[in-house]
Amino acid sequence: MVEDVKLMHEMGLEAYRFSIAWTRLIPDGRGAVNPNGLAYYNNLIDELLSYGIQPHATIYHFDLPQALQDDYDGLLSPRFIEDFTAYADVCFRSFGDRVKHWTTLNEPNIEPFGGYDTGSLPPRRCSTPFGQGCAGGNSTTEPYIAAHHLLLAHASAVSLYRDKYQTEQGGQIGITLLAFWFEPASQKLDDVKAAARISDFTFGWFMDPLVYGDYPLVMKKNAGSRLPALRAEESVRVHGSFDFIGINHYGVIYIAADLDQLKQSPRDYSSDAAVKYITLPFQSSRNKDGLRIENHPAPWALRKLLDFLKHKYRNPPVLIYENGAGHEPDPSGRFVYNDEFRSRYLQDYIEATLQSIRNGSNVHGYFVWSFMDVFEVLFAYRFRFGLYGVDFGAENRTRYARHSALWYGDFLRGGALRPAAAVTDSGAYSQ
């Protein structure tokens, strides 16, 4: 940990985003706090601050304690709201004197889809024909229930923070959503409507309640009674329950209408949107549930997304918490130093962010995903996103700087945006 924070300082990072593991802090999900877990995060936060690096802490990042899943089916029960709020209270009380940027949930708009519709993510619940190989579940209802409880848990934690901690601690609190840009596959009216529909079914699913106090109209129409209703008091609590919106953005997805899906009975979450994904080819042949993350830059998509936030959602304060590009590791096991594509990707997206700010978007920060290679939820170790590479075969997981780390460090120290090819094999910039 100490060595990693030193690398952050040497690179010139001003802030570092990390997630607190619920079970590391409270092993059983509720009850006694683990003093070793408490010490770990205190040490990390103090080490970051000693180098002048702002800690940005996420409270929940797809890591529901197994004990709560076993006890009451986790996100499917409203009991999750109370337990999550109590856990958040421990976080605020223990670290809030130093952590000034809190995120309640990471990507709650993707966890219900993967965990309760397709069954591709934990707890792997689904029903045929929408998902395969699940031990139980109902793809027609459970994604909506899980998301509803996540939304209410978020609002409950924000209410707690504002009532009990925010005035004294002086921090900010928000939520982080996965935010692809959905582009119509053609200018046909059906495709244009389909792109707007999938945006409502993924991004608007949370943004509409947060900004306007209710779910999108198209979700209420297409999902009907399967979408839980926000009661009046819940709507009041959810509405405005953020100081900022975090977005994780990786590229564009092209959308075509598939209106035949609306004729299915019963329908699931994904068919309620009545779309099919069409994406451009990119460096990897990997595909996941019809959705690909593009590895080549599409910075115009970020500009469109930020403009969309500005106009549809009243231009909220935005922190871009994830943006980056991955590559498959060398099959021979050799280290990959020359990641010119990543430096070019980051340069293009940073430039797009600057253009959006100049155009009035309320962007307050930008974070690269990721500082170093990590275990990926979708790709495990098959994709590497790090500016710093990690030798996973070494006992101490040795870190090594890729060219993108050198490029990004130079940029943060005031260097001009420049082609990544200007980085030489020696780690210096050519003139």
Side-chain angles (χ1 to χ4, degrees), residues 85-216:
T85 306
Y87 159 54
D89 195 12
V90 172
C91 294
F92 301 146
R93 183 173 67 249
S94 303
F95 313 123
D97 59 327
R98 290 152 293 158
V99 173
K100 305 305 177 185
H101 296 84
W102 290 102
T103 296
T104 55
L105 309 172
N106 178 75
E107 298 183 354
N109 56 334
I110 197 65
E111 185 174 12
F113 172 67
Y116 296 87
D117 184 14
T118 66
S120 56
L121 297 175
R124 294 187 58 82
R125 293 181 64 84
C126 66
S127 57
T128 57
F130 311 111
Q132 305 293 330
C134 294
N138 186 333
S139 298
T140 70
T141 59
E142 289 188 358
Y144 298 113
I145 296 169
H148 189 70
H149 292 153
L150 282 167
L151 180 64
L152 295 180
H154 156 79
S156 177
V158 171
S159 179
L160 170 71
Y161 184 70
R162 288 176 169 174
D163 291 345
K164 189 175 179 181
Y165 295 103
Q166 191 167 38
T167 299
E168 179 182 352
Q169 295 180 351
Q172 296 183 324
I173 191 165
I175 190 171
T176 296
L177 304 176
L178 182 64
F180 287 101
W181 175 250
F182 298 106
E183 183 76 3
S186 76
Q187 290 307 304
K188 295 178 182 177
L189 183 58
D190 281 347
D191 289 348
V192 172
K193 288 182 177 180
R197 193 162 54 244
I198 192 62
S199 178
D200 278 338
F201 267 84
T202 54
F203 197 62
W205 197 359
F206 282 78
M207 282 302 296
D208 272 50
L210 291 170
V211 176
Y212 300 113
D214 202 0
Y215 291 117

Side-chain angles (χ1 to χ4, degrees), residues 119-387:
S120 56
L121 297 175
R124 294 187 58 82
R125 293 181 64 84
C126 66
S127 57
T128 57
F130 311 111
Q132 305 293 330
C134 294
N138 186 333
S139 298
T140 70
T141 59
E142 289 188 358
Y144 298 113
I145 296 169
H148 189 70
H149 292 153
L150 282 167
L151 180 64
L152 295 180
H154 156 79
S156 177
V158 171
S159 179
L160 170 71
Y161 184 70
R162 288 176 169 174
D163 291 345
K164 189 175 179 181
Y165 295 103
Q166 191 167 38
T167 299
E168 179 182 352
Q169 295 180 351
Q172 296 183 324
I173 191 165
I175 190 171
T176 296
L177 304 176
L178 182 64
F180 287 101
W181 175 250
F182 298 106
E183 183 76 3
S186 76
Q187 290 307 304
K188 295 178 182 177
L189 183 58
D190 281 347
D191 289 348
V192 172
K193 288 182 177 180
R197 193 162 54 244
I198 192 62
S199 178
D200 278 338
F201 267 84
T202 54
F203 197 62
W205 197 359
F206 282 78
M207 282 302 296
D208 272 50
L210 291 170
V211 176
Y212 300 113
D214 202 0
Y215 291 117
L217 289 175
V218 70
M219 292 190 74
K220 295 167 73 172
K221 175 185 175 183
N222 287 13
S225 61
R226 291 176 291 121
L227 178 68
L230 283 166
R231 299 193 300 268
E233 66 274 15
E234 293 172 339
S235 175
V236 169
R237 177 167 285 195
V238 169
H239 182 206
S241 59
F242 64 92
D243 299 320
F244 65 86
I245 298 296
I247 63 170
N248 298 343
H249 175 78
Y250 291 93
V252 59
I253 299 175
Y254 289 84
I255 300 296
D258 190 359
L259 300 180
D260 287 341
Q261 290 197 49
L262 285 177
K263 301 175 184 177
Q264 297 183 32
S265 181
R267 300 192 302 271
D268 76 329
Y269 160 74
S270 54
S271 62
D272 282 332
V275 303
K276 57 184 176 181
Y277 301 112
I278 300 175
T279 63
L280 296 175
F282 78 126
Q283 291 175 333
S284 171
S285 60
R286 297 190 184 281
N287 199 326
K288 182 69 178 177
D289 296 328
L291 184 154
R292 288 186 181 180
I293 298 176
E294 296 184 20
N295 237 4
H296 62 280
W300 57 268
L302 178 58
R303 291 196 300 270
K304 283 193 172 186
L305 173 66
L306 293 173
D307 198 53
F308 173 72
L309 273 163
K310 181 175 66 175
H311 291 292
K312 182 167 183 178
Y313 293 113
R314 300 175 176 170
N315 206 17
V318 168
L319 287 167
I320 300 172
Y321 266 144
E322 290 184 24
N323 179 239
H327 69 272
E328 293 174 306
D330 190 303
S332 70
R334 292 176 297 192
F335 294 168
V336 176
Y337 291 96
N338 186 6
D339 58 345
E340 179 180 333
F341 77 95
R342 180 176 288 112
S343 298
R344 170 56 65 182
Y345 179 103
L346 296 176
Q347 172 166 305
D348 289 346
Y349 275 87
I350 291 170
E351 187 173 26
T353 303
L354 177 60
Q355 291 170 350
S356 294
I357 293 171
R358 288 173 173 169
N359 197 36
S361 290
N362 197 9
V363 179
H364 287 219
Y366 174 90
F367 292 69
V368 174
W369 185 268
S370 55
F371 169 65
M372 70 176 73
D373 290 340
V374 295
F375 179 87
E376 297 288 334
V377 172
L378 289 181
F379 305 112
Y381 295 113
R382 298 192 303 273
F383 254 57
R384 307 292 165 83
F385 282 80
L387 302 174

